[in-house]
Amino acid sequence: MLRKKVLPVNDYTTVGKSVMRIDGLQKTTGETKYAGDIALPGALCLKVLRSKIAHGLVKNIEICEAMKVPGVVQIFTHADVPGINGYGIIVKDQPMLTDKVRFKGDAVALIAAEDEVSAEKAMALIKVTYEELPPLYDVLDAMKEDAPAIHEKGNILGIYKIKKGDAESALQCADVVIARKYTTQRIEHLYIETEAGVAYMDNDMLVIKAGTQNPHYDRRDVARVLGLPLNKVRIMQTPTGGGFGGKLDISVQCFLGLAALKLGRPVRMVYDRETSFIASGKRHPFYIDFTTAADKQGKLVAVKVRIIGDTGAYGSYGPATLNRGAVHATGPYEVPNVDIESYCVYTNNPFSGAMRGFGTPQMAFATESQMDLVANAVGISPVDIRRRNILKEGSLTATQQQLNSSIGIGKTIEAAWEKALQVMPGLGDENK
């Protein structure tokens, strides 16, 4: 068998060397042009009027006084959307401009004006009449049978179950049972660059340049909402000043497309920080009811977990997040009996979407807290209980997948403990 010759490190062009980031110099010197830096001659400024109520029906939108403001070119409402007024990465449940409000921040009207001052004056003069509906801010309230429906099909968007063995019997026979409830909070991505973009018509082609992580999905949703064939929409991703999952969703793209298409003029839109906070997706808050059972030696025998994720007003990546939350509820540990159910639930809160980890960080907090509590209950160290339960070669995961290779958690734990002793000399032994 021929073996490749291993070169000294100095002979490699990349391995063992510091590599300059391709776009690092331009970004640090300010040469990079982000979406908000693009200036198109004659571009109109776009602003969105957003709802101040959390739940209600739009009964009337009065724009006559707003249209009299000098510089205002057009004001659009849901009645002006030419295609199917619903987009979303998994479920097409979010309207571009709505006639039913589902959270404080839903888009109600789009103003196109020659300048920002005119657009803001007009926005203040638009009068919207609502029929308010009871808001639901709590996922447990939203799951009640008599709760007002936020969407036509109800408030539970999805249920995901993982069953393995007989968890109930194992819980009855276990030496140690730890039951706790955990909640995690909604988190804003807070990328440095807020949502922004420009759009224009290139003959009959709609061109949109925007800060996005998902140009191909954007194209499909823009074409759907505007009633255009796919080959008449072009999305160009500009350098993105941070995303972390938050720019996978549509933000300015449909607004830009509608105005450019209807008015035949270039348009520009940049969210200020307040709008970015109000209108963008967040990390899903989780409500977790977690029961862990073990024997006297700290060997896990069962887990029973119920997870409820608040996806807010719209689905976004909610189904994927709650599905992955269920899959990762057992962490990197082998558990013979598993009973996990997770629920993706609509509320009238700001919508939740993708953020680094897709439901895994929330579950890691709960799972690892449970491991520490079990270790304390059986009188072994937090490190040792993990050694006794980690996935190894041949282990079955909660979804019954047998692991045969590339299982690094054991080495990771030992290396982490060794490093901890180096950097924290007063740490003591594993039991402290």
Side-chain angles (χ1 to χ4, degrees):
M1 177 179 176
L2 293 176
R3 300 185 65 180
K4 290 185 178 179
K5 182 181 178 182
V6 178
L7 299 173
V9 170
N10 289 339
D11 290 347
Y12 288 102
T13 57
T14 303
V15 175
K17 294 181 168 40
S18 295
V19 178
M20 180 175 286
R21 181 175 168 145
I22 292 175
D23 58 356
L25 182 62
Q26 291 79 7
K27 286 186 172 177
T28 52
T29 57
E31 292 179 46
T32 298
K33 299 298 182 187
Y34 295 94
D37 298 321
I38 300 173
L40 295 179
L44 297 171
C45 172
L46 302 184
K47 290 284 182 182
V48 172
L49 176 67
R50 298 183 179 278
S51 165
K52 301 293 185 186
I53 69 168
H55 198 193
L57 303 175
V58 176
K59 306 304 290 186
N60 186 54
I61 303 175
E62 177 53 59
I63 63 170
C64 290
E65 291 302 313
M67 283 297 297
K68 294 177 183 176
V69 175
V72 172
V73 175
Q74 188 57 273
I75 297 173
F76 302 100
T77 70
H78 62 89
D80 298 303
V81 178
I84 301 172
N85 192 8
Y87 62 80
I89 203 74
I90 296 175
V91 183
K92 308 295 183 188
D93 60 358
Q94 184 163 1
M96 170 191 166
L97 294 166
T98 193
D99 60 351
K100 180 182 182 183
V101 168
R102 297 181 176 88
F103 79 107
K104 293 178 181 177
D106 242 339
V108 175
L110 173 68
I111 302 105
E114 299 289 350
D115 56 82
E116 188 169 344
V117 173
S118 301
E120 290 184 345
K121 284 182 179 177
M123 190 158 60
L125 294 172
I126 298 173
K127 296 179 180 176
V128 183
T129 304
Y130 299 100
E131 177 187 332
E132 291 201 44
L133 300 172
L136 294 166
Y137 299 118
D138 184 274
V139 285
L140 299 178
D141 290 339
M143 293 177 72
K144 293 178 180 175
E145 288 189 5
D146 60 348
I150 297 170
H151 289 268
E152 286 184 4
K153 294 183 179 178
N155 297 337
I156 298 178
L157 177 57
I159 304 173
Y160 312 95
K161 299 180 180 180
I162 298 175
K163 310 289 181 179
K164 176 185 175 188
D166 185 350
E168 285 300 333
S169 297
L171 285 169
Q172 295 295 324
C173 301
D175 296 316
V176 174
V177 176
I178 303 292
R180 293 288 189 277
K181 290 182 172 61
Y182 301 88
T183 57
T184 64
Q185 74 277 37
R186 182 175 291 101
I187 298 176
E188 161 69 28
H189 300 78
L190 203 61
Y191 23 75
I192 296 175
E193 177 205 29
T194 59
E195 296 79 355
V198 299
Y200 57 91
M201 297 302 299
D202 182 3
N203 295 317
D204 63 346
M205 175 73 74
L206 172 62
V207 180
I208 298 173
K209 298 180 179 179
T212 174
Q213 295 177 262
N214 236 353
H216 298 89
Y217 281 89
D218 294 353
R219 184 189 187 207
R220 293 174 195 163
D221 273 346
V222 169
R224 170 188 168 91
V225 169
L226 300 184
L228 294 173
L230 270 179
N231 65 355
K232 295 302 177 185
V233 177
R234 185 180 184 194
I235 305 287
M236 299 175 70
Q237 181 184 22
T238 59
T240 303
F244 324 122
K247 291 178 182 172
L248 289 168
D249 292 294
I250 288 283
S251 58
V252 298
Q253 295 89 327
C254 289
F255 300 132
L256 290 165
L258 177 68
L261 180 68
K262 290 274 189 176
L263 301 175
R265 291 184 56 177
V267 294
R268 179 174 182 270
M269 188 172 205
V270 181
Y271 282 0
D272 58 24
R273 182 58 67 185
E274 181 180 4
T275 303
S276 180
F277 265 62
I278 292 170
S280 66
K282 310 290 183 280
R283 185 187 289 284
H284 283 77
F286 274 15
Y287 173 93
I288 306 165
D289 190 341
F290 208 130
T291 302
T292 307
D295 63 19
K296 292 177 181 176
Q297 287 72 45
K299 190 70 176 174
L300 298 176
V301 297
V303 298
K304 181 178 181 179
V305 190
R306 295 293 180 265
I307 309 161
I308 304 172
D310 182 355
T311 203
Y314 300 109
S316 181
Y317 274 90
T321 301
L322 269 297
N323 192 356
R324 295 188 192 185
V327 170
H328 289 280
T330 51
Y333 308 110
E334 184 167 22
V335 187
N337 300 288
V338 173
D339 177 3
I340 301 168
E341 295 181 8
S342 73
Y343 298 79
C344 185
V345 179
Y346 288 122
T347 65
N348 293 117
N349 292 314
F351 77 91
S352 302
M355 191 172 189
R356 294 276 171 90
F358 274 76
T360 307
Q362 296 95 317
M363 292 314 303
F365 165 63
T367 304
E368 299 302 338
S369 297
Q370 289 289 103
M371 294 298 284
D372 288 344
L373 292 169
V374 173
N376 185 59
V378 301
I380 62 176
S381 76
V383 176
D384 205 23
I385 194 168
R386 287 167 171 81
R387 288 192 187 109
R388 298 182 188 189
N389 291 284
I390 53 174
L391 295 165
K392 303 179 179 70
E393 187 173 339
S395 293
L396 286 177
T397 66
T399 56
Q400 308 271 26
Q401 178 189 5
Q402 187 171 50
L403 302 180
N404 296 315
S405 63
S406 190
I407 309 161
I409 182 63
K411 290 181 180 178
T412 301
I413 287 175
E414 299 306 331
W417 177 243
E418 184 179 342
K419 189 67 176 178
L421 292 174
Q422 291 176 12
V423 301
M424 294 182 282
L427 190 61
D429 63 29
E430 292 180 3
N431 293 305
K432 292 185 178 179

